[in-house]
Amino acid sequence: MAFRQALQLAACGLAGGSAAVLFSAVAVGKPRGGGDADTRATEPPAWNGAGAGRGVWDSNWDRREPLSLINLKKRNVESGEDELASRLDHYKAKATRHIFLIRHSQYHVDGSLEKDRTLTSLGREQAELTGLRLASLGLKFNKIVHSSMTRAVETTDIISKHLPGVSRVSTDLLREGAPIEPDPPVSHWKPEAVQYYEDGARIEAAFRNYIHRADAKQEEDSYEIFICHANVIRYIVCRALQFPPEGWLRLSLNNGSITHLVIRPNGRVALRTLGDTGFMPPDKITRS
């Protein structure tokens, strides 16, 4: 219910300027090119509440399942299955996407303004360690997408020094916020209801924009870094694995940690690591 309300309120302009991007993300859920929706019987994803607890994987979770992108009504009866197979191949992903979700480093939580919440000296050390760890993997990273909040920008500045030549892009979609009311609730953190409506729409839009199987035109596997915030990462992990997103607050992430999601061409998603900070000395690990 909260998510549907979020969409309605975003349309009214409550999402802080992100409504246009939100609806472009929501449009991913519609058949492309006027095609019919997938007519196969599939269970609704657990996150919308209808299929919760059934453990059924929605193979079209990102609305990129090839069969769902084809208008079967326009199928040429004479060419039959050969034409269908050719059209399916046109929409079929070939590459794997590796998504590295990095939580920002420790920062000054007592800053009165967002711009004053800069990294601490320890936070800068953490970012250096995270950058060194990513560089040591020997991967050809394609890009860095980061939150526009100060602590994420500063973390990106430091990590980028260890990954020369990797392009970076800033986005407001990945800013910290309250994605959805957690279950079970907690007593120490109770945002106003409107914050869930505003932030939830934006963070869901971030998920739909950035977390999906590779485009059919992508030939090689990609390695992409997203530097953002604990709430955003935890929500994305729950959504990607089709776990109830209300459980996001049951997960815990250290500062500078690395979470690694893998999205296969067939849409299957695997979690390689969650909140890894094993590359940091124990005295450098924090969760503030």
Side-chain angles (χ1 to χ4, degrees), residues 270-286:
L271 179 64
R272 289 275 181 89
T273 60
L274 175 68
D276 176 31
T277 49
F279 51 88
M280 292 187 186
D283 63 336
K284 304 296 182 185
I285 296 175
T286 62

Side-chain angles (χ1 to χ4, degrees), residues 20-244:
V21 182
L22 166 67
F23 288 163
S24 75
V26 171
V28 173
K30 298 179 181 179
R32 297 185 180 185
D36 293 336
D38 191 346
T39 56
R40 294 170 298 173
T42 58
E43 295 287 345
W47 64 267
N48 73 359
R54 299 185 185 182
V56 177
W57 179 260
D58 175 16
S59 61
N60 196 29
W61 61 275
D62 58 352
R63 299 303 183 262
R64 291 172 181 245
E65 183 72 16
L67 190 58
S68 72
L69 303 177
I70 296 175
N71 188 345
L72 295 177
K73 291 181 180 179
K74 294 183 179 180
R75 180 180 168 188
N76 189 324
V77 178
E78 294 182 2
S79 55
E81 295 300 323
D82 291 340
E83 183 199 21
L84 179 59
S86 175
R87 294 171 65 189
L88 284 173
D89 188 64
H90 175 73
Y91 288 107
K92 191 176 296 182
K94 307 172 187 65
T96 295
R97 293 184 68 208
H98 293 264
I99 307 294
F100 292 83
L101 300 162
I102 313 298
R103 189 190 175 197
H104 61 78
S105 302
Q106 186 190 65
Y107 68 104
H108 294 284
V109 297
D110 55 352
S112 57
L113 300 175
E114 194 279 318
K115 66 181 181 65
D116 299 324
R117 295 166 195 161
T118 56
L119 297 186
T120 63
S121 57
L122 174 56
R124 301 187 72 81
E125 290 184 64
Q126 292 170 339
E128 293 282 0
L129 292 168
T130 303
L132 287 168
R133 173 58 176 169
L134 291 170
S136 74
L137 298 177
L139 301 173
K140 184 181 178 181
F141 289 106
N142 300 79
K143 63 180 178 180
I144 298 175
V145 181
H146 64 88
S147 158
S148 57
M149 297 186 81
T150 300
R151 53 190 182 270
V153 172
E154 292 189 344
T155 301
T156 302
D157 289 341
I158 296 171
I159 289 177
S160 292
K161 293 189 301 182
H162 299 279
L163 302 171
V166 180
S167 63
R168 50 185 286 185
V169 179
S170 176
T171 177
D172 290 342
L173 287 179
L174 291 174
R175 292 173 73 89
E176 185 63 301
I180 190 172
E181 189 170 358
D183 183 20
V186 293
S187 59
H188 63 276
W189 188 72
K190 289 185 177 295
E192 295 292 331
V194 70
Q195 188 175 347
Y196 288 119
Y197 300 153
E198 295 177 356
D199 294 347
R202 172 178 52 78
I203 297 171
E204 173 64 19
F207 173 80
R208 297 193 186 197
N209 271 271
Y210 297 122
I211 310 301
H212 52 76
R213 74 192 78 184
D215 188 273
K217 296 178 181 178
Q218 182 176 324
E219 298 290 340
E220 298 181 352
D221 294 352
S222 59
Y223 300 87
E224 305 160 46
I225 297 172
F226 294 82
I227 300 176
C228 50
H229 310 271
N231 296 359
V232 177
I233 294 172
R234 291 182 285 185
Y235 178 81
I236 284 175
V237 168
C238 288
R239 286 282 283 110
L241 298 178
Q242 297 187 24
F243 294 162

Side-chain angles (χ1 to χ4, degrees), residues 252-272:
S252 181
L253 298 175
N254 294 332
N255 295 112
S257 62
I258 301 174
T259 295
H260 182 185
L261 283 172
V262 179
I263 308 177
R264 299 295 183 189
N266 62 5
R268 299 287 178 87
V269 181
L271 179 64
R272 289 275 181 89

